[in-house]
């Protein structure tokens, strides 16, 4: 498309040509040839007048088109361009403010928004406003401005939250220090502070220095645990008011941290949506505002060109008519007029045929000489205009070619790192495999995935993460060499294509060099980062013979490298694919099993050794496979936890177990009780207690007939957990601390948690009949639980020696294959009675021999839990 100024200049020169061509004709009317030519001259004058009128009208049309271009269409196009420019400036100012969050940038946003509003108002409401402009686009622009303001306000709010959280933590730190948390100085010697205050000082120091999300959560848990563990002592000194202030500030700081994390989780998506919306609006402004204005401008230029062509055509007809009239008037004038007119006609035809170098020969009558001169001037102007048009056309073609090249580059390269993208990789990989098939050489495909890259984005921001990705891409190109093909698939995933990879040993050395290069410190914007990556590799033709299979093999190997602990290299093998396929099949089979009702509950009895009676059963989850085999929970529970099925399974177990207890009591087993295991995800649901209450209400089971077994890791999760446990105890539901004796086994939880029973893990019970130390530990733990008023159940009792030892430890219930196995609900009562009978039978010799009962006094052995160190 020609520039607006060029079009105006061209049409102006063309109008001058038409005017100069008409001037000789006007002067011809003032000449007289003789009275005998008066009539002919009158006719000729009339012809000339008509031609002049037609030419004048066409010229006026051309000039009107030129004026419309200058006064209407060209300003409209400029105003549309201004909207696009101001929209770009506004989006850039909002993005820069979100990165820097400086108050000066907030003023820039307001200024950019005002300029954008002015540009939009000028286009839609000015004196030369476009009445046909789409109103929806204006509303979208105004909505876009509001969303930008909301993003900026949200960023400012986050900064206020962060400052307030620092002030709260500083206040807690000052209170702990003022209470003696940093120790006392006596005679220039430091005296250690009380243990409770020292623990609080250590915890608040770790909380203030933590930066990552995981570190903050662990530091808050440590602080909360320290406050809970020392609450009674701190309430005495420095006092309950001091302790309440510390609790209030700590909870407020935790709430602000959660608010900041929620804001950060959604802000990046909102920012990307804002920038994408800005790009869409720019395209819409170009399409709906700028391009229609330019199209109108081009149409006006076309009208002007058509009018000028009409004037030229009219002028040519007038000249021919005048020439014919002169031939008829006088033979005398024929020789002096005919030949010049013919020459002029001939050059006109050659000019019309495309010969721009032809010129009319001067001479003859003055009128004809001036006409030839005007024709030559017109030919010169036409040649000049066409030359300019050809230059503009060549420039346009160059722009189109350059834009085509840019689009091709964008279609095949990653816009961030400028590395080839997935499409380019597919093309290059197919070509590389074809070359490898002809040459018989091995080709390797590497999948490179950065380790813990999400923490960089979460801590330093996605913009910083983009710079890290650029640096990693450059480092991969340097380390892999010029013959390697590097591509970015997306996120923090890269691929390296190595032709002529050699043997597996040679490939291992090359990949080792890549890993070593990626471990080198990376400097990004003044920060030095330590990075690492996991790499999975596959070889052609060893592992696959087509591109898709080779990609899948490398991906499977990458997962193996991550399972090995990250910063590792793994080469594909069929076993890796089989393992991944097995995991996928197990997941799908488990989902089908849930839908088809293939899961069932078995019930294992529990026997009280002090009464030798069955006191209840534990519900155990099983999966009936298509071949009839019963799979234990250990075979599939980890898959259920990874795929999100655990909550659904726990809800099903709760409903089934309570319904079964109802059926047992209806059939006459009035003392039937059941214990079920509750998963952490299910317990952490806000409506879990309500679900338990609803299940008891629907089935009619008394609360004391239900016991929930929770692991120690679920118990030690904060005030919300304590609140839920107390609500369950208020309902009357029993709470058992399951698997006690493994993990940290915090004795503090036995004293603080609202539980009714402790279940000793089989690992704690396993050696009590063979190891004096195991026996002493088990006896001490049981005595401690009894001292706290807690019931005890020992799991995994499988030998008579274990049973005999536990019978001497006071009121203890046991559960294990020695007395009873898990059975279906129809056989549960019979199995429970038989388990009690087996216990009486096995313990009868010991009772008959007068075995001593356990001593009322037991020495307590306290095991200190290992200190958890929060990594920085």
């Amino acid at each position: 498309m020609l520039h607006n100024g060029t079009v105006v200049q061209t049409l102006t020169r063309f109008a001058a040509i038409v005017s100069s061509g008409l001037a000789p004709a006007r002067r011809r009317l003032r000449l007289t040839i003789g009275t005998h030519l008066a009539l002919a001259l009158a006719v000729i004058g009339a012809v000339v007048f008509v031609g002049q009128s037609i030419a004048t009208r066409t010229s006026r049309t051309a000039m009107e088109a030129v004026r419309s271009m200058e006064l209407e269409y060209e300003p409209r196009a400029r105003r549309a361009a201004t909207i696009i420019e101001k929209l770009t400036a506004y989006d850039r100012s909002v993005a820069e403010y979100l990165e820097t969050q400086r108050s000066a940038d907030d003023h820039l946003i307001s200024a950019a928004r005002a300029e954008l509003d002015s540009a939009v108002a000028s286009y839609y409401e000015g004196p030369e406003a476009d009445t046909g402009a789409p109103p929806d686009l204006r509303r979208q622009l105004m909505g876009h401005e509001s969303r930008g303001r909301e993003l900026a306000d949200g960023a400012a709010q986050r900064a206020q939250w962060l400052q307030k959280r620092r002030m709260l933590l500083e206040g807690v730190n000052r209170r702990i220090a003022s209470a003696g948390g940093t120790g006392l100085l006596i005679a220039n010697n430091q005296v250690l502070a009380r243990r409770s205050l020292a623990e609080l000082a250590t915890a608040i120091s770790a909380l203030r220095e933590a930066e990552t999300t995981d570190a903050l959560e662990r530091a808050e848990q440590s602080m909360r645990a320290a406050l809970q563990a020392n609450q009674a002592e701190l309430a005495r000194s420095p006092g309950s008011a001091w302790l309440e202030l510390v609790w209030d500030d700590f909870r407020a700081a935790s709430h602000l941290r959660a608010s900041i994390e929620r804001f950060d989780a959604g802000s990046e998506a909102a920012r990307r949506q804002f920038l994408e919306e800005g790009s869409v609006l720019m395209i819409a402004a170009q399409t709906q505002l700028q391009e229609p204005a330019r199209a109108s401008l081009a149409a006006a230029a076309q009208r002007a060109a058509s009018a000028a062509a009409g004037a030229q055509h009219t002028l040519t007809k007038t000249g021919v008519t005048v020439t014919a009239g002169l031939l008829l008037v006088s033979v005398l004038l024929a020789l002096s007029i005919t030949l010049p007119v013919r020459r002029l006609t001939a050059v006109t035809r050659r000019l019309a045929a495309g010969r721009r170098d032809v010129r009319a020969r001067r001479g003859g009558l003055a009128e004809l000489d001036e006409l030839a001169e005007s024709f030559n001037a017109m030919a010169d102007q036409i040649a000049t205009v066409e030359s300019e048009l050809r230059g503009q056309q060549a420039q346009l073609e160059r722009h189109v070619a350059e834009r085509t090249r840019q689009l091709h580059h964008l279609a095949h390269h990653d816009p961030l790192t400028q590395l080839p993208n997935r499409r380019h990789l597919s093309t290059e990989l197919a070509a590389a495999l074809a070359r490898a098939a002809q040459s018989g050489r091995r080709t390797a495909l590497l999948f490179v995935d950065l380790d813990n890259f999400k923490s960089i984005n979460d801590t330093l921001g996605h913009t910083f993460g983009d710079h890290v990705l650029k640096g990693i891409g450059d480092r991969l190109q340097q380390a892999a060499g010029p013959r390697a093909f590097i591509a970015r698939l997306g996120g923090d995933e890269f691929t390296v294509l190595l032709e002529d990879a050699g043997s597996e040993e040679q490939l291992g050395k090359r990949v080792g060099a890549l890993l070593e290069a990626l471990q080198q410190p990376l400097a990004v914007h003044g920060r030095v980062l330590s990075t690492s990556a996991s790499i999975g590799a596959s070889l052609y033709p060893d592992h696959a013979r087509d591109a898709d299979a080779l990609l899948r093999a490398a991906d499977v190997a990458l997962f193996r490298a991550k399972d090995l602990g990250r910063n590792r290299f793994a080469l594909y093998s069929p076993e890796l694919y089989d393992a991944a396929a097995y995991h996928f099949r197990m997941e799908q089979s488990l989902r089908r099993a849930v839908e088809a009702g293939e899961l069932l509950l078995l019930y294992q009895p529990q026997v009280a050794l002090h009464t030798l009676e069955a006191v209840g059963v534990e519900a155990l989850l099983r999966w009936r496979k298509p071949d009839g085999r019963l799979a234990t929970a250990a075979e599939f529970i980890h898959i259920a936890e990874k795929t999100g099925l655990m909550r659904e399974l726990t809800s099903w177990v709760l409903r089934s177990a309570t319904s079964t207890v109802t059926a047992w009591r209806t059939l006459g087993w009035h003392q039937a009780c059941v214990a079920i295991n509750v998963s952490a995800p299910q317990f952490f649901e806000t409506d879990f207690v309500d679900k338990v209450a609803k299940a008891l209400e629907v089935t009619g089971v008394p609360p004391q007939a239900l016991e929930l077994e929770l692991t120690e890791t679920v118990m030690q999760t904060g005030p919300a957990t304590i609140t839920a446990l107390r609500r369950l105890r208020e309902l009357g539901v029993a709470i058992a601390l399951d698997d006690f004796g493994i993990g940290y086994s915090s004795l503090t939880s036995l004293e603080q948690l609202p539980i009714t029973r402790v279940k000793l893990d089989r690992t704690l019970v396993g050696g009590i009949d063979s190891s004096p130390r195991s026996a002493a530990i088990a006896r001490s733990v049981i005595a401690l639980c009894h001292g706290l008023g807690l019931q005890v159940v020992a799991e995994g009792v499988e030998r008579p020696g274990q049973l005999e030892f536990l019978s001497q430890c006071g009121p203890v219930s046991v559960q294990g294959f020695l007395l009873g196995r898990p059975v279906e609900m129809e056989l549960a009562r019979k199995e429970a009675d038989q388990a009690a009978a087996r216990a009486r039978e096995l313990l009868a010799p010991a009772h008959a021999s007068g075995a001593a009962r356990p001593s009322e006094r037991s020495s307590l052995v306290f095991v200190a839990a290992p200190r958890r160190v929060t990594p920085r």
Side-chain angles (χ1 to χ4, degrees):
M1 181 179 295
L2 295 177
H3 192 273
N4 296 336
T6 304
V7 173
V8 173
Q9 294 173 5
T10 302
L11 294 177
T12 303
R13 287 197 296 268
F14 199 91
I17 293 172
V18 174
S19 300
S20 64
L22 292 176
R26 288 194 294 267
R27 287 191 292 271
R28 175 67 177 172
L29 290 176
R30 292 193 296 268
L31 300 177
T32 60
I33 304 175
T35 55
H36 63 284
L37 298 176
L39 183 60
L41 290 176
V43 174
I44 293 174
V47 172
V48 171
F49 177 79
V50 172
Q52 182 181 2
S53 300
I54 297 173
T56 301
R57 285 200 302 272
T58 54
S59 298
R60 186 181 299 111
T61 301
M63 295 305 296
E64 290 175 353
V66 171
R67 282 195 296 272
S68 65
M69 291 163 56
E70 293 179 342
L71 300 178
E72 180 180 359
Y73 301 118
E74 185 175 4
R76 187 181 302 170
R78 285 198 301 270
R79 290 197 299 275
T82 302
I83 291 177
I84 297 172
E85 177 186 355
K86 299 307 179 182
L87 177 60
T88 303
Y90 179 73
D91 288 358
R92 183 169 58 253
S93 63
V94 172
E96 292 175 351
Y97 177 78
L98 294 180
E99 292 178 1
T100 60
Q101 297 182 3
R102 296 195 299 264
S103 58
D105 293 335
D106 184 61
H107 297 320
L108 293 177
I109 292 176
S110 300
R113 182 178 184 182
E115 291 178 355
L116 180 57
D117 288 338
S118 176
V120 173
S122 175
Y123 190 92
Y124 282 87
E125 302 174 359
E128 298 175 356
D130 184 6
T131 56
D136 291 341
L137 180 59
R138 184 179 186 181
R139 289 193 292 271
Q140 293 172 4
L141 288 170
M142 298 300 102
H144 182 69
E145 290 180 2
S146 299
R147 282 183 284 278
R149 184 69 261 176
E150 291 173 359
L151 284 175
D153 292 342
Q157 181 65 49
R158 182 188 183 278
Q160 294 177 2
W161 288 344
L162 189 60
Q163 180 63 25
K164 185 176 181 181
R165 179 178 176 273
R166 291 196 188 100
M167 294 174 61
L168 289 171
L169 294 180
E170 181 63 28
V172 172
N173 184 55
R174 286 196 300 269
R175 290 192 183 93
I176 294 173
S178 64
T182 57
L184 301 175
L185 289 176
I186 300 178
N188 295 325
N189 293 322
Q190 185 175 15
V191 178
L192 296 178
R194 294 206 324 259
R195 180 183 58 81
S196 59
L197 291 174
E199 289 179 357
L200 288 181
T202 302
I204 192 61
S205 177
L207 181 57
R208 292 172 62 201
E209 295 175 0
E211 294 181 359
T212 64
T213 301
D214 294 340
L216 286 170
E217 291 178 355
R218 289 193 295 271
E220 287 183 0
Q221 291 176 3
S222 298
M223 183 67 184
R224 187 179 293 108
L227 286 171
Q228 292 174 348
N230 301 285
Q231 186 163 357
E233 180 181 350
L234 295 174
R236 291 191 299 272
S237 175
S240 58
W242 179 92
L243 180 61
E244 186 64 25
L245 289 175
V246 171
W247 267 114
D248 290 343
D249 289 350
F250 171 69
R251 292 188 183 107
S254 300
H255 177 72
L256 288 174
R257 191 265 307 165
S259 299
I260 292 172
E261 289 181 357
R262 287 193 299 272
F263 175 82
D264 291 343
S267 64
E268 181 60 23
R271 176 177 175 271
R272 287 197 302 270
Q273 183 180 3
F274 173 78
L275 294 178
E276 291 172 358
E277 183 183 43
S279 300
V280 171
L281 289 176
M282 291 179 196
I283 296 174
Q286 290 176 350
T287 305
Q288 302 179 24
L289 302 180
Q290 192 175 43
E291 291 182 3
R294 290 181 176 176
S296 300
L297 189 64
Q302 182 64 32
R303 290 195 301 272
S306 299
Q312 180 184 1
H313 183 66
T314 301
L315 183 61
T316 303
K317 281 188 173 182
T318 302
V320 173
T321 304
V322 169
T323 303
L326 292 175
L327 289 175
L328 292 176
V329 171
S330 175
V331 176
L332 182 61
L333 297 177
L335 296 177
S336 60
I337 294 176
T338 302
L339 294 178
V341 170
R342 286 180 178 178
R343 290 194 300 268
L344 184 59
T345 303
V347 296
T348 301
R349 288 173 180 173
R350 289 197 295 271
L351 183 65
R355 294 282 303 277
R356 298 295 181 258
D357 58 340
V358 296
R359 296 296 181 269
R361 191 171 63 181
R362 303 284 298 276
L365 297 176
E367 292 84 353
L368 295 179
D369 183 67
E370 291 178 0
L371 183 60
E373 182 182 4
S374 299
F375 177 84
N376 292 338
M378 180 182 68
D380 292 339
Q381 294 292 338
I382 291 175
T384 301
V385 170
E386 284 197 349
S387 177
E388 293 178 357
L389 289 174
R390 284 193 296 270
Q392 294 288 343
Q393 182 67 26
Q395 183 179 0
L396 178 61
E397 291 176 356
R398 286 194 299 271
H399 288 333
V400 171
E402 176 65 19
R403 186 59 177 168
T404 302
R405 186 191 64 79
Q406 293 175 356
L407 291 176
H408 183 271
H409 180 81
L410 290 175
H412 293 84
H413 289 78
D414 173 48
L416 175 62
T417 62
Q418 298 305 313
L419 291 174
N421 58 11
R422 186 182 295 272
R423 177 183 296 178
H424 197 173
L425 172 65
S426 300
T427 304
E428 184 66 23
L429 181 58
L433 295 185
R435 291 192 294 269
Q438 294 178 356
S439 62
R441 296 180 299 182
R442 286 180 170 177
T443 296
L445 181 65
L446 311 182
F447 263 26
V448 181
D449 186 87
L450 298 184
D451 296 332
N452 302 317
F453 180 71
K454 183 178 182 296
S455 63
I456 296 178
N457 279 340
D458 294 342
T459 305
L460 303 176
H462 287 270
T463 301
F464 188 89
D466 290 343
H467 290 293
V468 173
L469 290 176
K470 291 179 182 177
I472 293 297
D474 295 339
R475 183 163 291 180
L476 277 175
Q477 288 180 310
Q478 295 172 2
R483 300 183 60 184
F485 181 82
I486 314 295
R488 182 190 177 213
L489 298 186
D492 58 344
E493 291 186 351
F494 297 85
T495 57
V496 181
L497 179 62
L498 301 175
E499 298 191 50
D500 194 11
S503 63
E504 293 183 2
E505 292 77 10
Q506 293 172 333
L507 177 61
K509 292 181 180 179
R510 297 180 69 175
V511 175
L514 282 179
L515 287 174
E516 183 177 356
L518 293 176
Q519 291 176 13
Q520 299 301 317
L522 180 65
V524 178
H525 286 186
R527 292 179 179 265
V528 178
L529 304 178
S530 296
T531 61
S532 64
S534 301
I535 300 180
S538 59
L539 281 170
Y540 171 88
D542 303 56
H543 303 145
R545 293 184 174 272
D546 61 82
D548 292 338
L550 202 64
L551 286 167
R552 288 196 301 271
D555 196 20
V556 170
L558 176 61
F559 278 105
R560 176 56 178 168
K562 288 187 174 294
D563 290 340
L564 291 174
R566 303 179 184 271
N567 194 23
R568 301 293 179 88
F569 159 64
L571 186 63
Y572 172 79
S573 65
E575 292 78 11
L576 297 180
Y577 181 80
D578 294 341
Y582 172 76
H583 186 278
F584 178 76
R585 289 195 300 270
M586 280 289 293
E587 176 186 344
Q588 298 300 313
S589 299
L590 182 58
R591 291 185 182 276
R592 289 194 296 269
V594 173
E595 297 173 357
E598 297 176 0
L599 301 179
L600 71 157
L601 291 179
L602 299 183
Y603 301 90
Q604 187 175 27
Q606 299 173 345
V607 178
L609 297 184
H610 55 289
T611 62
L612 296 179
E613 297 292 338
V615 293
V617 296
E618 180 182 4
L620 302 174
L621 183 63
R622 295 292 185 267
W623 177 8
R624 191 185 301 279
K625 293 297 190 70
D627 58 0
R629 183 178 69 88
L630 289 179
T632 63
E635 299 180 42
F636 61 87
I637 206 69
H638 62 286
I639 297 179
E641 292 176 346
K642 290 182 179 180
T643 57
L645 287 173
M646 197 61 210
R647 296 180 179 180
E648 183 177 350
L649 291 181
T650 305
S651 299
W652 178 82
V653 169
L654 177 62
R655 294 193 304 269
S656 300
T658 52
S659 299
T660 300
V661 171
T662 301
W664 286 337
R665 291 188 173 232
T666 302
L667 294 175
W669 191 7
H670 301 295
Q671 302 302 319
C673 300
V674 65
I676 65 173
N677 292 279
V678 178
S679 68
Q682 180 73 8
F683 183 77
F684 291 148
E685 289 185 351
T686 56
D687 60 343
F688 174 73
V689 179
D690 297 332
K691 288 183 179 179
V692 173
K694 183 66 174 179
L696 295 176
E697 179 183 357
V698 171
T699 58
V701 175
Q704 59 271 19
L706 176 64
E707 181 178 75
L708 302 180
E709 297 184 1
L710 303 172
T711 61
E712 187 178 7
T713 56
V714 178
M715 296 287 193
Q716 299 175 348
T717 53
T721 302
I722 302 299
T723 302
L725 292 175
R726 287 174 178 168
R727 290 183 60 194
L728 290 172
R729 293 296 298 125
E730 291 172 359
L731 287 176
V733 177
I735 306 296
L737 178 59
D738 197 12
D739 296 336
F740 188 82
I742 60 175
Y744 289 96
S745 300
S746 172
L747 300 181
T748 306
S749 61
L750 298 180
E751 184 268 333
Q752 294 181 348
L753 296 175
I755 59 177
T756 56
R757 189 192 302 261
V758 174
K759 298 194 71 175
L760 303 182
D761 188 75
R762 62 180 63 250
T763 58
L764 187 61
V765 177
I768 59 177
D769 59 342
S770 58
S771 170
R773 298 183 66 180
S774 297
I777 293 174
R779 184 182 292 109
S780 299
V781 172
I782 293 173
L784 174 63
C785 293
H786 287 163
L788 295 174
L790 300 175
Q791 304 175 28
V792 179
V793 177
E795 296 181 302
V797 177
E798 300 178 353
R799 297 189 298 274
Q802 296 171 327
L803 184 68
E804 182 178 353
F805 173 84
L806 292 171
S807 68
Q808 300 173 7
C809 295
V812 176
S813 300
V814 296
Q815 176 182 341
F817 288 166
L818 179 65
L819 300 182
R821 293 183 173 273
V823 296
E824 297 187 13
M825 62 170 291
E826 296 83 0
L827 304 175
R829 182 176 184 182
K830 180 180 179 181
E831 185 69 14
D833 294 338
Q834 292 177 353
R838 293 189 190 101
R840 289 191 292 270
E841 180 181 352
L842 290 172
L843 294 177
H847 291 168
S849 62
R853 302 302 297 171
S855 173
E856 295 297 330
R857 300 177 61 188
S858 301
S859 60
L860 302 182
V861 179
F862 293 91
V863 182
R867 181 181 179 185
R868 300 176 186 259
V869 179
T870 302
R872 294 185 181 179

